[in-house]
């Protein structure tokens, strides 16, 4: 799994489809960064903001194609 897949999976695991849609169509990257939590050696950790921004940009690209 590459970094982009990891980030997109983390976003999908933490946000509903409706939240993702609202975020990508009306939001900005920082709106949900605090909600993207991953497992780091058994402990929850908020995903680093630059990775959340990368995921946001990837999702925006996917939504434009639809």
């Amino acid at each position: 799994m590459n970094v982009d897949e990891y980030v997109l999976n983390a976003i999908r695991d933490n946000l509903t489809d409706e939240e993702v849609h609202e975020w990508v169509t009306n939001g900005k990257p920082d709106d949900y960064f605090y909600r993207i939590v991953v497992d780091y050696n058994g402990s929850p950790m908020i995903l680093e903001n630059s990775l959340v921004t990368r995921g946001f940009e990837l999702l925006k690209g996917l939504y434009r194609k639809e």
Side-chain angles (χ1 to χ4, degrees), residues 21-36:
H21 178 75
E22 179 66 25
W23 183 37
V24 171
T25 56
N26 299 316
K28 56 187 186 295
D30 291 344
D31 290 344
Y32 281 104
F33 86 92
Y34 62 93
R35 295 256 325 267
I36 314 301

PDB file of all heavy atoms in Angstrom, residues 21-36:
ATOM      1  N   HIS A  21     -18.158  14.023   1.288  1.00  0.00           N
ATOM      2  CA  HIS A  21     -18.751  14.824   0.210  1.00  0.00           C
ATOM      3  C   HIS A  21     -18.835  16.301   0.612  1.00  0.00           C
ATOM      4  O   HIS A  21     -18.440  17.187  -0.154  1.00  0.00           O
ATOM      5  CB  HIS A  21     -20.137  14.292  -0.145  1.00  0.00           C
ATOM      6  CG  HIS A  21     -20.825  15.094  -1.197  1.00  0.00           C
ATOM      7  ND1 HIS A  21     -20.466  15.020  -2.520  1.00  0.00           N
ATOM      8  CD2 HIS A  21     -21.815  16.003  -1.112  1.00  0.00           C
ATOM      9  CE1 HIS A  21     -21.223  15.858  -3.211  1.00  0.00           C
ATOM     10  NE2 HIS A  21     -22.050  16.466  -2.377  1.00  0.00           N
ATOM     11  N   GLU A  22     -19.336  16.581   1.796  1.00  0.00           N
ATOM     12  CA  GLU A  22     -19.455  17.962   2.283  1.00  0.00           C
ATOM     13  C   GLU A  22     -18.081  18.614   2.389  1.00  0.00           C
ATOM     14  O   GLU A  22     -17.888  19.768   2.012  1.00  0.00           O
ATOM     15  CB  GLU A  22     -20.164  17.980   3.636  1.00  0.00           C
ATOM     16  CG  GLU A  22     -20.327  19.336   4.247  1.00  0.00           C
ATOM     17  CD  GLU A  22     -21.256  20.262   3.471  1.00  0.00           C
ATOM     18  OE1 GLU A  22     -22.137  19.780   2.732  1.00  0.00           O
ATOM     19  OE2 GLU A  22     -21.082  21.487   3.598  1.00  0.00           O
ATOM     20  N   TRP A  23     -17.130  17.878   2.910  1.00  0.00           N
ATOM     21  CA  TRP A  23     -15.768  18.390   3.091  1.00  0.00           C
ATOM     22  C   TRP A  23     -15.139  18.772   1.751  1.00  0.00           C
ATOM     23  O   TRP A  23     -14.590  19.862   1.588  1.00  0.00           O
ATOM     24  CB  TRP A  23     -14.946  17.321   3.795  1.00  0.00           C
ATOM     25  CG  TRP A  23     -13.537  17.675   4.149  1.00  0.00           C
ATOM     26  CD1 TRP A  23     -13.073  18.883   4.584  1.00  0.00           C
ATOM     27  CD2 TRP A  23     -12.417  16.803   4.140  1.00  0.00           C
ATOM     28  NE1 TRP A  23     -11.718  18.813   4.847  1.00  0.00           N
ATOM     29  CE2 TRP A  23     -11.298  17.538   4.586  1.00  0.00           C
ATOM     30  CE3 TRP A  23     -12.235  15.472   3.813  1.00  0.00           C
ATOM     31  CZ2 TRP A  23     -10.032  16.980   4.702  1.00  0.00           C
ATOM     32  CZ3 TRP A  23     -10.976  14.917   3.940  1.00  0.00           C
ATOM     33  CH2 TRP A  23      -9.887  15.670   4.374  1.00  0.00           C
ATOM     34  N   VAL A  24     -15.238  17.873   0.791  1.00  0.00           N
ATOM     35  CA  VAL A  24     -14.582  18.085  -0.504  1.00  0.00           C
ATOM     36  C   VAL A  24     -15.290  19.154  -1.327  1.00  0.00           C
ATOM     37  O   VAL A  24     -14.645  19.930  -2.026  1.00  0.00           O
ATOM     38  CB  VAL A  24     -14.496  16.744  -1.272  1.00  0.00           C
ATOM     39  CG1 VAL A  24     -14.025  16.945  -2.691  1.00  0.00           C
ATOM     40  CG2 VAL A  24     -13.562  15.790  -0.544  1.00  0.00           C
ATOM     41  N   THR A  25     -16.613  19.233  -1.243  1.00  0.00           N
ATOM     42  CA  THR A  25     -17.333  20.194  -2.073  1.00  0.00           C
ATOM     43  C   THR A  25     -17.408  21.582  -1.449  1.00  0.00           C
ATOM     44  O   THR A  25     -17.455  22.574  -2.183  1.00  0.00           O
ATOM     45  CB  THR A  25     -18.755  19.699  -2.397  1.00  0.00           C
ATOM     46  OG1 THR A  25     -19.457  19.432  -1.182  1.00  0.00           O
ATOM     47  CG2 THR A  25     -18.715  18.456  -3.255  1.00  0.00           C
ATOM     48  N   ASN A  26     -17.403  21.691  -0.118  1.00  0.00           N
ATOM     49  CA  ASN A  26     -17.599  22.993   0.530  1.00  0.00           C
ATOM     50  C   ASN A  26     -16.543  23.369   1.556  1.00  0.00           C
ATOM     51  O   ASN A  26     -16.603  24.454   2.116  1.00  0.00           O
ATOM     52  CB  ASN A  26     -18.961  23.035   1.227  1.00  0.00           C
ATOM     53  CG  ASN A  26     -20.098  22.856   0.258  1.00  0.00           C
ATOM     54  OD1 ASN A  26     -20.112  23.446  -0.809  1.00  0.00           O
ATOM     55  ND2 ASN A  26     -21.042  22.012   0.625  1.00  0.00           N
ATOM     56  N   GLY A  27     -15.615  22.473   1.810  1.00  0.00           N
ATOM     57  CA  GLY A  27     -14.685  22.724   2.905  1.00  0.00           C
ATOM     58  C   GLY A  27     -13.279  23.044   2.460  1.00  0.00           C
ATOM     59  O   GLY A  27     -12.995  23.286   1.289  1.00  0.00           O
ATOM     60  N   LYS A  28     -12.413  23.032   3.458  1.00  0.00           N
ATOM     61  CA  LYS A  28     -10.986  23.223   3.216  1.00  0.00           C
ATOM     62  C   LYS A  28     -10.239  22.127   3.983  1.00  0.00           C
ATOM     63  O   LYS A  28     -10.803  21.507   4.881  1.00  0.00           O
ATOM     64  CB  LYS A  28     -10.551  24.623   3.626  1.00  0.00           C
ATOM     65  CG  LYS A  28     -10.841  25.013   5.046  1.00  0.00           C
ATOM     66  CD  LYS A  28     -10.512  26.486   5.265  1.00  0.00           C
ATOM     67  CE  LYS A  28     -10.659  26.889   6.696  1.00  0.00           C
ATOM     68  NZ  LYS A  28     -11.981  26.847   7.265  1.00  0.00           N
ATOM     69  N   PRO A  29      -8.999  21.849   3.636  1.00  0.00           N
ATOM     70  CA  PRO A  29      -8.291  20.719   4.226  1.00  0.00           C
ATOM     71  C   PRO A  29      -8.292  20.687   5.752  1.00  0.00           C
ATOM     72  O   PRO A  29      -8.406  19.620   6.349  1.00  0.00           O
ATOM     73  CB  PRO A  29      -6.866  20.870   3.684  1.00  0.00           C
ATOM     74  CG  PRO A  29      -7.026  21.596   2.407  1.00  0.00           C
ATOM     75  CD  PRO A  29      -8.188  22.533   2.625  1.00  0.00           C
ATOM     76  N   ASP A  30      -8.182  21.826   6.396  1.00  0.00           N
ATOM     77  CA  ASP A  30      -8.082  21.854   7.863  1.00  0.00           C
ATOM     78  C   ASP A  30      -9.391  21.541   8.584  1.00  0.00           C
ATOM     79  O   ASP A  30      -9.382  21.329   9.796  1.00  0.00           O
ATOM     80  CB  ASP A  30      -7.593  23.223   8.330  1.00  0.00           C
ATOM     81  CG  ASP A  30      -6.154  23.484   7.947  1.00  0.00           C
ATOM     82  OD1 ASP A  30      -5.453  22.518   7.593  1.00  0.00           O
ATOM     83  OD2 ASP A  30      -5.733  24.644   7.989  1.00  0.00           O
ATOM     84  N   ASP A  31     -10.500  21.494   7.875  1.00  0.00           N
ATOM     85  CA  ASP A  31     -11.793  21.316   8.536  1.00  0.00           C
ATOM     86  C   ASP A  31     -11.927  20.004   9.311  1.00  0.00           C
ATOM     87  O   ASP A  31     -12.601  19.958  10.328  1.00  0.00           O
ATOM     88  CB  ASP A  31     -12.934  21.397   7.516  1.00  0.00           C
ATOM     89  CG  ASP A  31     -13.124  22.804   6.978  1.00  0.00           C
ATOM     90  OD1 ASP A  31     -12.606  23.762   7.585  1.00  0.00           O
ATOM     91  OD2 ASP A  31     -13.785  22.933   5.933  1.00  0.00           O
ATOM     92  N   TYR A  32     -11.311  18.947   8.833  1.00  0.00           N
ATOM     93  CA  TYR A  32     -11.495  17.635   9.470  1.00  0.00           C
ATOM     94  C   TYR A  32     -10.194  16.974   9.919  1.00  0.00           C
ATOM     95  O   TYR A  32     -10.207  15.821  10.335  1.00  0.00           O
ATOM     96  CB  TYR A  32     -12.204  16.678   8.512  1.00  0.00           C
ATOM     97  CG  TYR A  32     -13.693  16.886   8.424  1.00  0.00           C
ATOM     98  CD1 TYR A  32     -14.264  17.508   7.338  1.00  0.00           C
ATOM     99  CD2 TYR A  32     -14.531  16.440   9.439  1.00  0.00           C
ATOM    100  CE1 TYR A  32     -15.641  17.691   7.249  1.00  0.00           C
ATOM    101  CE2 TYR A  32     -15.902  16.613   9.369  1.00  0.00           C
ATOM    102  CZ  TYR A  32     -16.450  17.233   8.265  1.00  0.00           C
ATOM    103  OH  TYR A  32     -17.816  17.404   8.195  1.00  0.00           O
ATOM    104  N   PHE A  33      -9.069  17.676   9.861  1.00  0.00           N
ATOM    105  CA  PHE A  33      -7.805  17.008  10.166  1.00  0.00           C
ATOM    106  C   PHE A  33      -7.814  16.353  11.542  1.00  0.00           C
ATOM    107  O   PHE A  33      -7.240  15.289  11.734  1.00  0.00           O
ATOM    108  CB  PHE A  33      -6.615  17.972  10.032  1.00  0.00           C
ATOM    109  CG  PHE A  33      -6.323  18.774  11.260  1.00  0.00           C
ATOM    110  CD1 PHE A  33      -5.418  18.312  12.195  1.00  0.00           C
ATOM    111  CD2 PHE A  33      -6.979  19.970  11.490  1.00  0.00           C
ATOM    112  CE1 PHE A  33      -5.159  19.037  13.345  1.00  0.00           C
ATOM    113  CE2 PHE A  33      -6.724  20.696  12.634  1.00  0.00           C
ATOM    114  CZ  PHE A  33      -5.817  20.236  13.559  1.00  0.00           C
ATOM    115  N   TYR A  34      -8.479  16.940  12.496  1.00  0.00           N
ATOM    116  CA  TYR A  34      -8.512  16.418  13.868  1.00  0.00           C
ATOM    117  C   TYR A  34      -9.334  15.135  13.980  1.00  0.00           C
ATOM    118  O   TYR A  34      -9.294  14.456  15.003  1.00  0.00           O
ATOM    119  CB  TYR A  34      -9.067  17.476  14.826  1.00  0.00           C
ATOM    120  CG  TYR A  34     -10.494  17.864  14.501  1.00  0.00           C
ATOM    121  CD1 TYR A  34     -11.554  17.234  15.112  1.00  0.00           C
ATOM    122  CD2 TYR A  34     -10.768  18.844  13.542  1.00  0.00           C
ATOM    123  CE1 TYR A  34     -12.864  17.562  14.787  1.00  0.00           C
ATOM    124  CE2 TYR A  34     -12.067  19.181  13.224  1.00  0.00           C
ATOM    125  CZ  TYR A  34     -13.106  18.534  13.842  1.00  0.00           C
ATOM    126  OH  TYR A  34     -14.393  18.862  13.511  1.00  0.00           O
ATOM    127  N   ARG A  35     -10.099  14.791  12.946  1.00  0.00           N
ATOM    128  CA  ARG A  35     -10.941  13.597  12.976  1.00  0.00           C
ATOM    129  C   ARG A  35     -10.296  12.401  12.279  1.00  0.00           C
ATOM    130  O   ARG A  35     -10.827  11.298  12.327  1.00  0.00           O
ATOM    131  CB  ARG A  35     -12.275  13.886  12.265  1.00  0.00           C
ATOM    132  CG  ARG A  35     -13.139  14.917  12.929  1.00  0.00           C
ATOM    133  CD  ARG A  35     -14.310  14.350  13.693  1.00  0.00           C
ATOM    134  NE  ARG A  35     -14.932  13.178  13.157  1.00  0.00           N
ATOM    135  CZ  ARG A  35     -15.982  13.176  12.324  1.00  0.00           C
ATOM    136  NH1 ARG A  35     -16.515  14.299  11.918  1.00  0.00           N
ATOM    137  NH2 ARG A  35     -16.487  12.039  11.909  1.00  0.00           N
ATOM    138  N   ILE A  36      -9.175  12.618  11.616  1.00  0.00           N
ATOM    139  CA  ILE A  36      -8.523  11.533  10.873  1.00  0.00           C
ATOM    140  C   ILE A  36      -7.499  10.879  11.793  1.00  0.00           C
ATOM    141  O   ILE A  36      -6.367  11.337  11.930  1.00  0.00           O
ATOM    142  CB  ILE A  36      -7.853  12.040   9.575  1.00  0.00           C
ATOM    143  CG1 ILE A  36      -8.773  12.968   8.794  1.00  0.00           C
ATOM    144  CG2 ILE A  36      -7.379  10.872   8.738  1.00  0.00           C
ATOM    145  CD1 ILE A  36     -10.089  12.371   8.364  1.00  0.00           C
TER     146      ILE A  36
END
